[in-house]
Amino acid sequence: MSGSRKPMAMRSLCCCRSGSPPEPEQNRRSRAGRQQKKPNVVFELLLLGADGSGKSTFIRQMQIIHGQGFNDMERAELIPDIHKNIMDAMKVMVEQMKENNLNIQLEEKDKYEDMEIFAVEEKPMDVRLRSVSRLWSDPGVQECFRRRGEYSTTDPLNVSTKYFLDAIEHRINEPGYLPITEDIIRVRRNTIGVIQYEFVLTDIQFKIIDVGGEREERVRWIDFLAQKITCVIFLGAIDEYDTKFIAVGGEEKNRLKESIELFKQIQNFQWLAHTTFILFLNKVDVFREKLQTSDVVDHFNDYKGFRKEYASNLAFVKKKFHEESSPKRPRMIYTHETQATDTAGMKFVFEAVRDTILQLNLRQYNLV
């Protein structure tokens, strides 16, 4: 994705009290304009994590749960990203079907033309999407998708690949398509620059700052770490235990190991000596599924538990994140197991996060 691309605008929204009947949007905006009462307490939450950890999904969930959701313009802005998610997924599968990889043939030979059509960026998007949809219906492509565990280490598919490809024919490629809420939650979109999202919950303002997770973006983190923040929320995509990337200099690295190391490095910054740390072990649903075909011990040779058992593998990964990088500076880390695409689950988790922050700041902000 081009670095010149601007992130989707996020609004500062105020949520209604739970249990109140819904108001027309016009009345809501009018009431908010009359009140203009600024909360006395502001909690600044810094959202950190490696690229692909689910930070943007978390921000969108907060806008859905505690804000006014997404208007039509904001939904339309995500259409190119949804198209890109679809095209990228099919490119991976077509590449893996080649003779030097999985060597899988299309069962319907007339669809080989579609392999060429969808890859031509100059063609109209509706034409490319039709080709992708036809390919997706072929048993050969379906077999490639079922065997995705065989190439997830080097060429992982987006976890929402099936969701989006299933929706092409009857929804995404229809005239006037506008992403539904589930599309918004599931679309993969890199964060470029800094996104700030604010909302008020029980008379307390929460300001969430999301700094890009790509390696070239992390230089910006230092500017925010030096500021006074209430807590750091760090997301680690634990399903990446078997996924690798090529680092600067050509070295091959494990993505989960990099995330663990990043988490330890952040804790050692002098500005964060007394900052609360909240850890989200994210994508537990994908982690559980992958354990059936890929063993943690093949990538972490100090794992001693049962290979396929979810609980022992999860406990191992959690311990890895909690291992002290500096014994002289022990700290409490509040950990949650999360599935960022699950709206109900994220609502419950953030309520727990809110309660933790409130308990730790009662006296400082005269909340007792």
Side-chain angles (χ1 to χ4, degrees):
M1 183 174 289
S2 172
S4 62
R5 184 173 190 172
K6 294 183 180 179
M8 182 171 61
M10 288 289 183
R11 295 169 288 167
S12 298
L13 304 172
C14 181
C15 74
C16 302
R17 294 182 180 179
S18 59
S20 302
E23 297 179 77
E25 186 172 23
Q26 184 177 2
N27 293 349
R28 244 188 353 251
R29 291 177 175 173
S30 175
R31 177 171 56 82
R34 291 194 304 270
Q35 289 177 347
Q36 295 293 318
K37 182 179 179 181
K38 190 173 182 180
N40 294 325
V41 179
V42 178
F43 289 150
E44 296 198 16
L45 317 180
L46 186 59
L47 201 59
L48 300 179
D51 179 37
S53 60
K55 297 188 286 90
S56 297
T57 304
F58 174 76
I59 287 278
R60 292 177 207 143
Q61 290 282 27
M62 293 301 99
Q63 185 162 345
I64 291 166
I65 296 167
H66 298 297
Q68 295 176 2
F70 291 80
N71 61 35
D72 287 354
M73 182 179 296
E74 290 168 331
R75 290 174 185 270
E77 285 180 10
L78 286 170
I79 293 176
D81 297 287
I82 292 171
H83 290 164
K84 185 177 187 302
N85 285 190
I86 290 170
M87 298 301 160
D88 287 349
M90 187 52 70
K91 285 176 185 176
V92 169
M93 287 189 285
V94 166
E95 179 64 29
Q96 291 302 320
M97 291 175 70
K98 291 182 178 179
E99 185 176 0
N100 60 332
N101 290 315
L102 299 182
N103 191 21
I104 300 174
Q105 304 296 315
L106 291 175
E107 288 198 11
E108 300 175 37
K109 305 306 178 185
D110 60 326
K111 291 182 179 177
Y112 277 101
E113 184 180 0
D114 288 312
M115 282 188 168
E116 299 178 3
I117 292 174
F118 94 89
V120 180
E121 296 184 2
E122 289 73 23
K123 288 188 176 295
M125 183 54 68
D126 64 319
V127 173
R128 297 178 69 197
L129 286 171
R130 279 197 296 273
S131 288
V132 170
S133 185
R134 284 193 292 266
L135 287 169
W136 180 237
S137 68
D138 188 272
V141 176
Q142 289 293 317
E143 180 187 349
C144 182
F145 178 74
R146 283 194 301 272
R147 295 172 62 182
R148 61 192 179 279
E150 297 179 38
Y151 52 88
S152 65
T153 295
T154 54
D155 297 286
L157 287 173
N158 187 314
V159 296
S160 294
T161 291
K162 185 179 186 302
Y163 170 84
F164 282 121
L165 269 63
D166 282 347
I168 293 174
E169 184 177 355
H170 301 295
R171 195 163 55 78
I172 294 177
N173 204 26
E174 287 292 307
Y177 162 69
L178 204 60
I180 61 175
T181 299
E182 186 74 5
D183 297 347
I184 292 170
I185 293 170
R186 287 180 172 273
V187 64
R188 174 83 174 89
R189 190 186 210 203
N190 290 347
T191 299
I192 302 298
V194 178
I195 292 178
Q196 183 170 299
Y197 181 66
E198 302 176 20
F199 59 91
V200 176
L201 184 62
T202 57
D203 298 325
I204 295 174
Q205 181 178 356
F206 288 88
K207 182 184 296 183
I208 302 178
I209 303 168
D210 175 15
V211 187
E214 293 187 3
R215 288 156 196 86
E216 58 269 25
E217 290 283 312
R218 292 176 194 165
V219 68
R220 301 173 182 266
W221 290 11
I222 202 73
D223 297 328
F224 291 93
L225 293 173
Q227 297 176 13
K228 184 178 179 181
I229 57 174
T230 308
C231 83
V232 168
I233 298 179
F234 187 94
L235 280 79
I238 65 173
D239 66 309
E240 294 187 327
Y241 66 88
D242 64 348
T243 306
K244 299 175 183 177
F245 70 97
I246 305 301
V248 178
E251 182 184 1
E252 190 177 69
K253 290 187 175 182
N254 179 284
R255 285 186 178 273
L256 181 57
K257 290 179 180 178
E258 185 209 26
S259 183
I260 293 169
E261 183 59 32
L262 195 58
F263 184 60
K264 292 178 180 179
Q265 289 175 4
I266 293 168
Q267 292 179 66
N268 285 325
F269 282 119
Q270 59 179 338
W271 306 285
L272 302 178
H274 304 290
T275 302
T276 302
F277 270 74
I278 295 173
L279 171 65
F280 285 178
L281 300 178
N282 197 31
K283 303 187 181 181
V284 292
D285 54 326
V286 186
F287 178 74
R288 185 193 295 270
E289 178 186 338
K290 289 182 74 172
L291 286 175
Q292 304 311 308
T293 56
S294 176
D295 295 333
V296 168
V297 70
D298 291 339
H299 308 278
F300 291 79
N301 56 20
D302 53 337
Y303 175 67
K304 305 300 181 184
F306 294 107
R307 285 176 176 259
K308 306 299 182 186
E309 187 182 71
Y310 172 73
S312 59
N313 278 280
L314 181 64
F316 172 79
V317 172
K318 180 178 178 180
K319 181 182 177 183
K320 282 292 184 183
F321 273 100
H322 280 253
E323 285 176 350
E324 295 291 348
S325 55
S326 177
K328 297 180 180 179
R329 300 172 63 182
R331 70 165 74 244
M332 178 67 73
I333 299 172
Y334 301 88
T335 306
H336 298 273
E337 299 150 20
T338 60
Q339 178 183 338
T341 56
D342 176 13
T343 301
M346 291 309 297
K347 182 177 186 294
F348 176 81
V349 167
F350 189 76
E351 287 173 354
V353 168
R354 178 201 62 192
D355 292 344
T356 298
I357 295 171
L358 287 174
Q359 289 296 323
L360 294 172
N361 292 275
L362 287 176
R363 298 192 182 282
Q364 181 180 352
Y365 290 98
N366 297 317
L367 297 175
V368 290

